[in-house]
Amino acid sequence: MIKLNQKTSKVNHSKFSKSLLEWYDINARNLPWRIPPELTKEGITNDPYKIWISEIMLQQTGVKTVQSYFLNFIKRWPNVIELNKAKEDDVLKAWSGLGYYRRARNLKNCAKTICEKYNGIFPNCTEELTKLPGIGNYTAAAIVSIAYNKIAFPIDGNIQRIVSRLFEIRDEIKNDKTNLLENLKEIFSQKRPGDFAQAMMDLGSIICKPANPTCNSCPVLKYCLAHKNNTYKSIPFKTKKVKKVAKKGYLYIGITDCKKIILIKRPNNGLLGGTICPPTSEWKVNKFPIPKPPYEGDWKVLDNRLFHSFTHFELELKIMISKVKHFPQNVYLEPLNDYTLNSLPTVMKKGVEMGITSFND
DNA sequence: AACTCGGGGAA
DNA sequence: TTCCCAGAGTT
């Protein structure tokens, strides 16, 4: 539903973006994947590779969390050619702790396609970009606007929130953004589409925050219908989430004679897909399954339990540990050092840390 | 259209 | 605790 009442129709296309971009020119966040506005205004453009990596990392992941991962990643694989040469397992290890591990595998697959079908050059239109693995409507539009400074309409959580408040849209947030798009097209900047998108994101991060927005310092306050009518606290509207189910299981930490930990590669589909972890039992809702350690040994259960929160359920793991002499050929044997720990998904890192602490006692 | 995918920062 | 984060892919 598009709401074009008298107040919102006065939102002037060029005046809005002028106010926003003047604010951005002074207040832009200094981010490692970003060319600052004083340089983009001189025609210097962002590196599509860096914008791509950052956009994938930033999917459902905060800027603060992403920065160090981004710098490490770019240092190790500075361009798409190098990334294409990387091993998928190494990319997954570099991704460990970020979550949503499918992103890392899609990244590798996408690099392959870019190198083999696009001669190492990122497409500059959303139609081609959305064909690539891991790149949906949002990321395609972000690359087109931010990296190539062409007109496109990335709609992330920030832009969704800001536009909803500007036009006082009370609709429930959905996957389908066509509604918001109509309103966004009334206010965006044709001259600086890349900076406009980033300015909206910075505004959403610094001023127009989800809770307690600092409206008194907002550069586009006079255009905001939700502020005018004091409805911003309930916009955007979201339904409250259902309570998470509790799942329980066992984590098996097998240690070889040469003090290495036995790891296996999880199936590509499903939770923590493709990552290399200690084996676990099945995870049953509300009760522990019967423990069945995968290798012969003198298994003991730790007193401490591991609690970890996923998006859709809470996990409680009992940790079992044993010395293991016989194991299959296809396992991964890794030394118990910081590199190994930091290459594990967070839940597994926590479990291994608990396990080896007790093992050393 | 509804699920499934992690993890952490911040209030 | 709860919410939210520069979402995409699958069902």
Side-chain angles (χ1 to χ4, degrees):
Chain A
M1 153 173 43
I2 303 167
K3 295 191 176 176
L4 275 179
N5 62 35
Q6 297 235 330
K7 290 175 184 169
T8 57
S9 65
K10 287 183 184 170
V11 177
N12 183 289
H13 195 136
S14 61
K15 280 188 178 174
F16 177 91
S17 58
K18 186 170 183 290
S19 300
L20 178 69
L21 289 169
E22 280 176 358
W23 173 85
Y24 179 69
D25 287 341
I26 298 169
N27 297 285
R29 287 177 292 177
N30 183 16
L31 301 173
W33 48 85
R34 173 185 282 182
I35 300 272
E38 58 265 31
L39 295 183
T40 60
K41 282 195 288 188
E42 293 176 13
I44 299 174
T45 54
N46 282 291
D47 177 358
Y49 175 74
K50 290 184 180 174
I51 297 304
W52 170 56
I53 298 294
S54 69
E55 289 299 342
I56 301 298
M57 287 186 171
L58 287 161
Q59 289 170 5
Q60 297 297 291
T61 309
V63 164
K64 188 153 193 172
T65 303
V66 164
Q67 298 206 42
S68 61
Y69 281 89
F70 174 82
L71 290 171
N72 291 336
F73 199 99
I74 290 295
K75 186 174 181 181
R76 186 162 179 188
W77 300 295
N79 55 57
V80 71
I81 308 290
E82 293 303 313
L83 180 58
N84 187 36
K85 290 192 237 169
K87 290 187 207 162
E88 182 182 292
D89 284 346
D90 286 336
V91 177
L92 275 162
K93 287 178 182 175
W95 206 266
S96 68
L98 263 185
Y100 289 156
Y101 295 93
R102 180 173 55 187
R103 294 184 293 177
R105 285 180 290 116
N106 282 338
L107 210 57
K108 261 291 293 175
N109 292 334
C110 186
K112 181 178 169 67
T113 306
I114 293 290
C115 289
E116 294 180 355
K117 293 188 179 174
Y118 294 92
N119 198 26
I121 311 290
F122 279 83
N124 63 358
C125 63
T126 57
E127 293 74 22
E128 290 297 311
L129 284 164
T130 47
K131 293 178 186 171
L132 297 165
I135 299 182
N137 289 332
Y138 164 76
T139 303
I143 292 172
V144 168
S145 60
I146 297 174
Y148 291 109
N149 202 29
K150 286 180 56 184
I151 292 172
F153 303 96
I155 301 178
D156 71 330
N158 292 303
I159 295 175
Q160 196 164 251
R161 185 172 60 257
I162 295 168
V163 174
S164 300
R165 287 174 176 168
L166 280 173
F167 293 88
E168 202 175 28
I169 301 169
R170 300 160 177 278
D171 300 8
E172 189 177 347
I173 295 300
K174 292 175 184 167
N175 239 352
D176 182 6
K177 318 272 195 235
T178 51
N179 174 17
L180 283 168
L181 183 57
E182 296 304 316
N183 293 288
L184 180 59
K185 283 180 176 175
E186 296 182 24
I187 57 172
F188 84 103
S189 165
Q190 299 188 39
K191 293 180 181 173
R192 297 170 62 188
D195 283 345
F196 177 83
Q198 295 178 95
M200 290 286 274
M201 294 168 187
D202 285 14
L203 187 73
S205 169
I206 300 169
I207 308 278
C208 196
K209 298 175 288 185
N212 309 316
T214 52
C215 298
N216 55 354
S217 53
C218 179
V220 291
L221 181 62
K222 63 180 175 182
Y223 304 105
C224 185
L225 202 54
H227 178 267
K228 188 171 296 182
N229 296 333
N230 197 28
T231 54
Y232 64 91
K233 286 181 182 171
S234 57
I235 298 178
F237 174 79
K238 291 189 178 174
T239 54
K240 58 181 177 186
K241 289 167 182 159
V242 295
K243 192 178 178 185
K244 295 178 183 178
V245 299
K247 296 188 180 181
K248 301 172 193 289
Y250 290 86
L251 178 68
Y252 305 116
I253 298 178
I255 307 293
T256 67
D257 286 338
C258 49
K259 298 197 172 178
K260 291 189 172 180
I261 183 169
I262 304 173
L263 306 177
I264 59 165
K265 188 172 176 69
R266 295 174 65 89
N268 278 339
N269 294 325
L271 198 75
L272 307 176
T275 60
I276 296 169
C277 304
T280 74
S281 67
E282 62 169 326
W283 301 345
K284 294 191 73 169
V285 174
N286 286 335
K287 66 175 192 179
F288 285 94
I290 307 295
K292 295 172 186 168
Y295 319 117
E296 186 182 331
D298 180 22
W299 292 90
K300 289 174 182 165
V301 185
L302 299 195
D303 293 330
N304 292 346
R305 296 181 185 184
L306 166 57
F307 294 88
H308 189 79
S309 180
F310 290 97
T311 305
H312 295 284
F313 63 93
E314 303 285 346
L315 180 64
E316 178 180 356
L317 288 178
K318 290 184 187 176
I319 295 161
M320 298 190 71
I321 188 163
S322 173
K323 290 182 181 176
V324 173
K325 292 188 186 301
H326 305 291
F327 44 83
Q329 290 286 335
N330 62 343
V331 301
Y332 297 71
L333 302 179
E334 300 294 344
L336 286 166
N337 55 27
D338 283 348
Y339 176 76
T340 298
L341 283 174
N342 291 327
S343 299
L344 296 169
T346 299
V347 59
M348 302 298 172
K349 178 181 178 181
K350 288 197 286 190
V352 172
E353 282 175 336
M354 290 169 64
I356 59 179
T357 298
S358 82
F359 197 70
N360 293 333
D361 291 344

